[in-house]
Amino acid sequence: MSKQAIYLQLADFIQGKIDANEYPFGSKIPSERELCDTFQISRMTVRKAIDLLIEKEYLIRLQGKGTFVNKQKLDSPLDTIQSMKRFIHESGLTPSNKVIYTEKKKAGIKYSKIFHISPEDEIFCLFRLRMGDDTPIAMEYTYVPYDIIPNIDSYDFEDGSLYALFEHYQIELYEDYQTIEIVKIFNPQAALLSIPEDSAVFMLHNTVTDTTGRIVEYTRSYMSKNTVTFTSILT
Amino acid sequence: MSKYTNLLSEQIKEDIETYIIENELKPHDALPSERKLAETLDVNRLTLRAALKRLRNEHHIYTIHGKGNFVSPPKIEDDTHNFTSFTTGWSSDGYITSSKVVLFDLIESPLPVCTHLNLSLGEKVYQLRRIRFLNDEPILLETSYIPQKYCPGLEQYNFAVSSLYDTLSNNYHLNLKEIQESMSITALTKEESLYLNGQEEETAFFIKSTTFDNEKPIEYCITVSRAERYMMSSTLKSENS
């Protein structure tokens, strides 16, 4: 790797500082001249490295003000089931929830087809705003068959997690069929996510099956493109 | 707080979804007029319109001016958990596939491409842009960059009919085994909208992928696809299983 072009080495160096939080979000990075002096390299090389990091959205250049560390997006891997709480936590943020609404209702035709239950059976609806460091990450509409967790409506979902409850009641998750679409958002979701109405966002549907083959959770969520990218490694 | 908790139009949206299921409406079938639908669902016109807008935003219905609202066809579902060529993957899903090459050039690698392919500025890459059709509908616009040093003479192949992956593996002995993908949201440029039969500025998927032979990046590809027609799916496994 030592044969790497100088500008790539400098870009790696700066990216490392950002990843290590030595250059935190919003901070100004050293000026082009300072970088030239420190590393004894040409202005052209420095500029190439910075342009590259701007292209990779690590940095942002503000006209007349300098170059700053950009807001890092959360990186959601497309292979393992994980709770939103853990995802936010592993992204280095402090997770919190705001419960918008809960309700027990009849499944009706739509949800009876999703859960393979009777339209007369009851489901529990849990609408939550998921946050990291008090910034909105996702608006989630979760549906669970009412009878799989005793007294599910008595839990405080601001503190507790649904996945912790699943574990407590020995509901072992097996797989999660996930679809990702891009849609335009409307209120109340837009207001909750603090983005303008009609913005394009990711809409996810997750259908979670447990080890007995029962569908235990169906969640629709909205995530702003400014907060997340999805990555996967296929082999 | 009322804008946060007013869930009525969302409820009505679900009622319309239920109406579509119960009445077995098929793609391109018309919904009843707004007046009739408002009567059937017992809701005022304003709320009904908000609910219809939600359905339109999420591509469940589409509107033809002066004619009314229609059920949208299902989106094309791209199962990301297969590393297969375009033709193999989609044919096994029952689609008739075809491709059209709209650009195939040897160029100096642009800076962003250099990053993804670990190239120095000035190195040459093949730039191959193809429209991918499923059942004659243009779905994906793919722009691939492949360093010339790994596959000199690539221009002799016709990628409207040949698979790029098959060619790289059979004729250049590259062992393509891993793809890294990341996805974000974009708006179609005029050119892209013409290739994909869409509208300029329309919302679309923007997918960057890099294909590796062991650790070595061989191909960098940008794929654009209309949000109205395309979705991704994957099956996530529990960590214990």
Side-chain angles (χ1 to χ4, degrees), chain A residues 111 175 177 181 187 222, chain B residues 14 54 58 75 77 237:
Chain A
Y111 295 98
E175 66 177 27
Y177 169 70
E181 296 172 67
N187 277 334
Y222 301 88
Chain B
E14 299 225 325
R54 275 176 205 285
E58 296 185 2
K75 293 182 185 178
E77 183 175 328
K237 292 289 184 185

Side-chain angles (χ1 to χ4, degrees), chain A residues 25-66:
Chain A
F25 164 55
S27 67
K28 191 171 172 178
I29 65 158
S31 71
E32 288 180 12
R33 177 137 29 94
E34 284 172 276
L35 289 169
C36 294
D37 291 349
T38 311
F39 294 99
Q40 295 294 305
I41 50 181
S42 76
R43 190 98 177 212
M44 264 276 277
T45 307
V46 169
R47 186 157 297 172
K48 254 195 300 192
I50 289 174
D51 284 347
L52 186 72
L53 290 171
I54 291 173
E55 154 70 21
K56 289 171 87 174
E57 299 184 6
Y58 268 89
L59 297 176
I60 185 163
R61 184 180 282 134
L62 299 178
Q63 214 60 49
K65 289 188 177 161

Side-chain angles (χ1 to χ4, degrees), chain A residues 48 78-79 81 86 109-111 174-178 180-182 187-188 222 230-232 234, chain B residues 3 14 17 22 54 58-59 75 77 80-81 121 179 181-183 232-234 236-239:
Chain A
K48 254 195 300 192
L78 290 173
D79 48 8
I81 304 183
R86 197 167 128 201
I109 291 203
K110 180 177 169 187
Y111 295 98
Y174 175 64
E175 66 177 27
D176 176 356
Y177 169 70
Q178 175 173 274
I180 303 177
E181 296 172 67
I182 296 173
N187 277 334
Y222 301 88
F230 296 91
T231 59
S232 58
L234 315 180
Chain B
K3 69 177 170 182
E14 299 225 325
E17 287 178 66
E22 272 180 334
R54 275 176 205 285
E58 296 185 2
H59 313 118
K75 293 182 185 178
E77 183 175 328
T80 56
H81 265 255
L121 281 179
I179 295 192
E181 273 189 350
S182 76
M183 136 180 41
M232 290 193 123
S233 72
S234 52
L236 318 181
K237 292 289 184 185
S238 141
E239 275 178 342

Side-chain angles (χ1 to χ4, degrees), chain B residues 188-228:
Chain B
L188 291 185
T189 64
K190 179 149 199 200
E191 190 192 9
E192 290 163 346
S193 71
L194 293 174
Y195 288 138
L196 293 175
N197 260 351
Q199 306 288 324
E200 194 178 348
E201 294 295 313
E202 180 185 329
T203 306
F205 278 88
F206 186 84
I207 302 160
K208 296 182 194 174
S209 60
T210 311
T211 308
F212 296 85
D213 175 345
N214 290 313
E215 308 272 281
K216 196 167 65 175
I218 302 294
E219 181 213 9
Y220 173 62
C221 182
I222 292 173
T223 304
V224 175
S225 188
R226 296 167 62 210
E228 200 178 316

Side-chain angles (χ1 to χ4, degrees), chain A:
Chain A
M1 278 286 133
S2 60
K3 285 299 269 180
Q4 231 184 7
I6 307 281
Y7 82 96
L8 287 176
Q9 291 182 36
L10 177 60
D12 276 351
F13 173 82
I14 298 174
Q15 192 174 324
K17 294 271 189 199
I18 297 171
D19 287 337
N21 216 24
E22 282 176 51
Y23 295 168
F25 164 55
S27 67
K28 191 171 172 178
I29 65 158
S31 71
E32 288 180 12
R33 177 137 29 94
E34 284 172 276
L35 289 169
C36 294
D37 291 349
T38 311
F39 294 99
Q40 295 294 305
I41 50 181
S42 76
R43 190 98 177 212
M44 264 276 277
T45 307
V46 169
R47 186 157 297 172
K48 254 195 300 192
I50 289 174
D51 284 347
L52 186 72
L53 290 171
I54 291 173
E55 154 70 21
K56 289 171 87 174
E57 299 184 6
Y58 268 89
L59 297 176
I60 185 163
R61 184 180 282 134
L62 299 178
Q63 214 60 49
K65 289 188 177 161
T67 305
F68 296 82
V69 177
N70 204 350
K71 189 157 181 84
Q72 298 307 298
K73 293 182 185 184
L74 308 186
D75 190 3
S76 178
L78 290 173
D79 48 8
T80 19
I81 304 183
Q82 62 177 349
S83 73
M84 177 60 76
K85 186 172 177 179
R86 197 167 128 201
F87 165 61
I88 294 172
H89 180 73
E90 285 184 355
S91 305
L93 306 174
T94 306
S96 62
N97 285 325
K98 189 163 154 188
V99 174
I100 306 299
Y101 185 72
T102 60
E103 185 194 10
K104 177 171 83 166
K105 68 171 190 183
K106 285 200 173 133
I109 291 203
K110 180 177 169 187
Y111 295 98
S112 76
K113 282 182 187 288
I114 289 165
F115 289 107
H116 307 295
I117 56 179
S118 145
E120 295 298 311
D121 287 343
E122 285 176 317
I123 54 173
F124 180 68
C125 316
L126 170 63
F127 301 167
R128 286 180 293 183
L129 182 66
R130 315 302 297 260
M131 293 181 288
D133 287 355
D134 295 322
T135 307
I137 304 284
M139 179 65 218
E140 286 187 343
Y141 294 74
T142 298
Y143 303 84
V144 177
Y146 184 71
D147 57 10
I148 65 167
I149 292 168
N151 302 317
I152 188 170
D153 36 12
S154 67
Y155 289 94
D156 174 7
F157 287 100
E158 302 250 334
D159 274 340
S161 103
L162 181 63
Y163 281 25
L165 271 186
F166 280 161
E167 216 175 295
H168 183 258
Y169 286 99
Q170 287 162 9
I171 295 169
E172 238 182 281
L173 304 183
Y174 175 64
E175 66 177 27
D176 176 356
Y177 169 70
Q178 175 173 274
T179 61
I180 303 177
E181 296 172 67
I182 296 173
V183 300
K184 287 202 170 150
I185 202 166
F186 204 51
N187 277 334
Q189 293 95 342
L192 286 162
L193 289 172
S194 314
I195 53 178
E197 273 198 310
D198 284 326
S199 310
V201 296
F202 291 111
M203 177 174 75
L204 282 70
H205 283 97
N206 292 76
T207 311
V208 183
T209 314
D210 75 357
T211 47
T212 68
R214 181 173 59 161
I215 292 164
V216 294
E217 177 200 345
Y218 176 75
T219 294
R220 179 175 92 247
S221 48
Y222 301 88
M223 295 174 108
S224 148
K225 65 172 173 180
N226 301 323
T227 56
V228 70
T229 57
F230 296 91
T231 59
S232 58
I233 297 177
L234 315 180
T235 51

Side-chain angles (χ1 to χ4, degrees), chain A residues 181, chain B residues 26-29 58-62 70-76 137 227-231:
Chain A
E181 296 172 67
Chain B
K26 302 273 172 290
H28 308 296
D29 280 355
E58 296 185 2
H59 313 118
H60 292 292
I61 62 167
Y62 63 94
F70 300 84
V71 178
S72 296
K75 293 182 185 178
I76 305 267
E137 184 185 355
E228 200 178 316
R229 295 297 299 129
Y230 179 83
M231 67 197 270

